[in-house]
């Protein structure tokens, strides 16, 4: 239960303890972060995890900029934060290059538990977590979403599309008639293995920043 406390402390740090987590709502079906955490934890036995191994989110809960990766790594599981390891350090540099940092964005993953041997998402993982990441997006209600990695893209696009062909191109994600503008790009972990692709990631970042400036989100 320590991880649940960490999550609640995270909400409190932004002054949202009453407004977001425990505020009574007339519509019981309205998604909240508290309910979302409960739903995710209901899957922990499938992944042979304890509650304190949940990797939920990091960054600014009030941000209109959301960044979504695929699944946590070992460092993320230890620190209970997404993008905590080597790929997180690279992501920090990428954000810094366009004038952002973790205080200005909201970070999460499609999958909130580390997968065995850090394997890629399979169809079952996507089936379990797709409705949950959709709820997560609805709750945060971002204006712009950056989708990092091929596995992450598969979650949001029904037909097979490679990240190399889709990166840098905006598409609209429709969730219950709410439209979210999304851009796929390479995951930092891929860029670490394929540093020559960083030049394309930089083009994506500049386009993403351009849209941030147009919408005056920072």
């Amino acid at each position: 239960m320590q991880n649940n406390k960490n999550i609640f402390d995270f909400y409190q740090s932004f002054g949202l303890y009453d407004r977001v987590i425990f505020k009574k709502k007339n519509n019981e079906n309205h998604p909240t972060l508290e309910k979302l955490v409960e739903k995710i934890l209901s899957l922990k036995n499938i992944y042979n995890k304890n509650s304190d191994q949940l990797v939920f989110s990091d960054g600014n809960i009030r941000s209109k900029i959301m960044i979504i990766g695929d699944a946590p790594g070992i460092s993320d599981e230890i620190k209970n934060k997404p993008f905590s390891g080597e790929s997180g350090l690279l992501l920090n540099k990428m954000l810094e290059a366009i004038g952002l940092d973790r205080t200005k964005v909201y970070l999460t993953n499609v999958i909130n538990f580390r997968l065995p041997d850090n394997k890629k998402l399979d169809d079952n993982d996507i089936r379990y977590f797709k409705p949950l990441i959709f709820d997560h997006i609805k709750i945060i209600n971002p204006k712009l979403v950056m989708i990092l990695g091929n596995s992450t893209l598969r979650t949001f696009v029904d037909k097979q599309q490679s990240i190399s062909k889709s990166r840098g191109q905006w598409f609209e994600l429709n969730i219950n008639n709410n439209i979210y503008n999304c851009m796929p790009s390479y995951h930092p972990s891929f860029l670490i293995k394929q540093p020559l692709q960083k030049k394309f990631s930089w083009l994506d970042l500049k386009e993403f920043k351009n849209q941030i400036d147009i919408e005056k989100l920072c």
Side-chain angles (χ1 to χ4, degrees):
M1 297 303 292
Q2 179 63 35
N3 189 60
N4 289 349
K5 181 180 183 299
N6 292 341
I7 293 170
F8 296 150
D9 288 344
F10 171 67
Y11 298 147
Q12 277 187 299
S13 70
F14 288 99
L16 298 173
Y17 186 82
D18 294 318
R19 182 163 62 87
V20 175
I21 302 301
F22 294 106
K23 182 179 178 180
K24 293 182 179 179
K25 296 181 180 294
N26 293 328
N27 183 0
E28 292 298 324
N29 293 321
H30 187 81
T32 65
L33 290 172
E34 181 191 30
K35 292 178 182 177
L36 179 60
V37 169
E38 290 175 355
K39 288 180 180 179
I40 294 170
L41 288 177
S42 72
L43 299 175
K44 69 180 186 294
N45 291 336
I46 296 175
Y47 290 91
N48 297 314
K49 297 295 182 180
N50 299 316
S51 295
D52 61 1
Q53 292 174 298
L54 173 70
V55 181
F56 190 65
S57 67
D58 193 26
N60 188 341
I61 203 170
R62 291 173 288 190
S63 177
K64 290 301 179 181
I65 303 166
M66 192 170 188
I67 298 177
I68 304 175
D70 46 17
I74 294 176
S75 295
D76 304 330
E77 186 176 69
I78 293 172
K79 297 181 180 179
N80 296 128
K81 290 183 180 181
F83 299 101
S84 294
E86 188 177 4
S87 63
L89 293 175
L90 178 54
L91 179 61
N92 291 346
K93 293 179 180 179
M94 292 163 63
L95 293 175
E96 183 180 352
I98 57 171
L100 298 177
D101 58 43
R102 290 180 182 238
T103 67
K104 297 178 181 178
V105 301
Y106 183 82
L107 303 162
T108 191
N109 286 308
V110 171
I111 308 296
N112 300 110
F113 296 112
R114 185 173 68 85
L115 301 177
D117 300 319
N118 295 323
K119 73 177 183 69
K120 294 182 179 179
L121 279 60
D122 62 25
D123 290 341
N124 283 330
D125 298 322
I126 292 174
R127 178 167 57 86
Y128 293 142
F129 276 92
K130 184 172 182 175
L132 301 178
I133 189 60
F134 276 27
D135 277 351
H136 208 157
I137 293 171
K138 286 191 293 184
I139 294 166
I140 299 303
N141 194 30
K143 293 288 186 181
L144 302 176
V145 182
M146 178 166 275
I147 293 171
L148 297 178
N150 209 55
S151 296
T152 313
L153 180 63
R154 281 180 53 215
T155 306
F156 296 100
V157 179
D158 291 331
K159 59 182 179 179
Q160 288 287 345
Q161 293 186 24
S162 69
I163 192 70
S164 60
K165 293 183 178 179
S166 301
R167 49 142 291 273
Q169 300 180 32
W170 292 99
F171 72 91
E172 292 184 343
L173 177 66
N174 188 327
I175 304 177
N176 299 136
N177 295 320
N178 293 313
I179 304 299
Y180 304 93
N181 291 321
C182 303
M183 175 190 286
S185 189
Y186 291 126
H187 195 284
S189 61
F190 171 79
L191 296 175
I192 291 171
K193 298 174 183 176
Q194 300 287 340
L196 292 179
Q197 303 303 313
K198 288 181 180 180
K199 59 186 177 183
F200 299 112
S201 179
W202 173 236
L203 295 176
D204 301 344
L205 287 168
K206 288 195 292 184
E207 171 58 26
F208 196 73
K209 179 58 163 61
N210 182 58
Q211 195 60 36
I212 290 172
D213 292 342
I214 289 173
E215 301 198 26
K216 299 179 179 179
L217 300 181
C218 287

